[in-house]
Amino acid sequence: MSKTNRRLSLGIISLLILFSALSPASWQVQAGDKEKLTAAEVVARHLKSIGTPEDLAAIKTRIVAGTSLYTVRSPGSGQNSGLSILFSEGNKSVIAMTFANPAYPHEKFGFDGEHLVISFVKPGLRSTLGDFIFRRTSIFKEGLVGGTLSTAWPLLNLNNDKARLEYGGMKKVDGRETYVLRYIPRKGSDLKISLYFDGETFQHVRTEYAQTVSAQMGATPDASKEGQRELHYELEEQFSDFKQEGKLTLPHAYKIKLMMERTGATYLADWEMVFSKFSFNQPLEAGWFDVNAVAN
């Protein structure tokens, strides 16, 4: 064997030894690197997971209805059950839940395309969830809340004048790989918004909102002492149990989780909705989007 052939053979053997030493996990990581997608590619595949462009365009209104379950986990514990309904048309949408509890009868959010209305659970008093969204109205007005259940879902018609998306890599969620996109409102916000899409189906499975409010100086020493407590918020929307309804594939389970944490105190609760009735292209009256005008 010539010296050239001998060097070539030794080189091939060395490569075979190197490749055989790599674990399957190493191969998977390399494959994953090759599958890195842009934000636009993730959105395109996500929209295909819902339906064809023609089928999406054909649906002008959506109504989904089912049950609701409110669970408070801290401080204390307790549950209230009831009914839920979501309906939407274009960028207008309503999310409403009712509970068999006079102290906490409902949650109602309605956006008519211009104004967001959040009902009071008692005269002049909003719930903790209602107050969270009231202070961050853009997440509802821009169609993020409710995900793909609503025609207002911004990825259906993303307007660069309102927001932009950035690719955030891959992350495991409940044991499954997901693609992460960061949603950045054009006007800017200290609220961090992350959208999660299943690594195989590209279905939207989660949205996370996180914000930390720094301590503030008060007008009095006592007020300043109270304001020195940093407050951290996390709101999480989870979507699961995807099934076909008509020509669209939509989630049938929707959970909202809210956590507020301040030194020495934590509030934790969730609202779970399970939908069994879907209706498309039914006429919706304009007045229905004003949830204060809708009968309790």
Side-chain angles (χ1 to χ4, degrees):
M1 181 181 295
S2 67
K3 291 183 178 180
T4 301
N5 289 337
R6 186 179 299 110
R7 285 196 297 268
L8 182 59
S9 298
L10 289 174
I12 293 173
I13 292 172
S14 298
L15 285 173
L16 289 173
I17 293 173
L18 174 62
F19 287 141
S20 65
L22 291 174
S23 65
S26 300
W27 282 96
Q28 291 172 3
V29 170
Q30 291 179 354
D33 289 342
K34 293 179 181 179
E35 290 300 319
K36 181 178 179 180
L37 303 175
T38 65
E41 289 170 334
V42 173
V43 172
R45 298 189 189 189
H46 161 61
L47 294 179
K48 288 181 180 179
S49 77
I50 306 173
T52 67
E54 294 76 17
D55 291 335
L56 286 168
I59 302 299
K60 305 302 181 183
T61 69
R62 301 184 197 176
I63 304 174
V64 299
T67 60
S68 63
L69 179 65
Y70 165 67
T71 304
V72 59
R73 303 187 183 280
S74 178
S77 61
Q79 284 189 327
N80 291 311
S81 60
L83 301 175
S84 63
I85 187 168
L86 281 71
F87 57 86
S88 57
E89 180 178 11
N91 69 335
K92 300 182 291 184
S93 64
V94 163
I95 297 178
M97 294 174 276
T98 61
F99 305 106
N101 184 339
Y104 183 33
H106 54 245
E107 287 283 4
K108 296 179 182 178
F109 307 91
F111 180 57
D112 64 2
E114 293 185 10
H115 305 101
L116 174 63
V117 177
I118 302 173
S119 64
F120 296 111
V121 294
K122 294 179 181 179
L125 179 66
R126 293 185 178 89
S127 70
T128 307
L129 177 61
D131 187 67
F132 177 91
I133 294 180
F134 175 74
R135 297 178 186 277
R136 301 158 186 84
T137 58
S138 63
I139 65 175
F140 203 99
K141 289 181 176 181
E142 293 186 24
L144 288 167
V145 180
T148 60
L149 289 164
S150 170
T151 59
W153 178 233
L155 271 60
L156 292 172
N157 185 23
L158 189 64
N159 187 338
N160 291 329
D161 292 335
K162 291 184 178 180
R164 60 188 175 90
L165 295 172
E166 289 184 354
Y167 180 73
M170 298 195 73
K171 182 178 179 180
K172 273 197 173 182
V173 172
D174 297 329
R176 293 182 65 86
E177 291 288 349
T178 63
Y179 287 94
V180 184
L181 296 183
R182 290 185 289 267
Y183 183 95
I184 304 171
R186 186 171 179 82
K187 293 183 179 180
S189 173
D190 59 353
L191 184 67
K192 296 180 180 179
I193 305 172
S194 300
L195 311 178
Y196 293 78
F197 303 86
D198 185 277
E200 295 181 3
T201 66
F202 287 87
Q203 292 163 340
H204 172 239
V205 294
R206 179 174 297 194
T207 300
E208 292 179 354
Y209 312 83
Q211 183 180 37
T212 298
V213 179
S214 302
Q216 302 292 325
M217 290 296 293
T220 66
D222 287 341
S224 294
K225 184 177 180 180
E226 178 68 19
Q228 288 172 3
R229 298 181 183 180
E230 188 176 75
L231 185 58
H232 182 68
Y233 296 91
E234 289 184 8
L235 181 71
E236 182 179 292
E237 296 180 275
Q238 298 177 357
F239 303 89
S240 58
D241 193 20
F242 288 82
K243 300 176 185 177
Q244 189 166 347
E245 293 289 346
K247 294 184 178 181
L248 303 185
T249 300
L250 298 170
H252 287 56
Y254 172 31
K255 178 183 282 189
I256 300 172
K257 299 174 66 175
L258 177 61
M259 187 275 287
M260 297 189 306
E261 188 173 42
R262 176 175 277 171
T263 305
T266 300
Y267 172 83
L268 183 62
D270 56 66
W271 296 257
E272 186 172 3
M273 290 159 269
V274 177
F275 303 111
S276 56
K277 297 180 181 179
F278 288 70
S279 182
F280 305 111
N281 291 331
Q282 296 297 317
L284 301 177
E285 295 184 16
W288 292 355
F289 294 93
D290 181 355
V291 293
N292 280 342
V294 178
N296 294 332

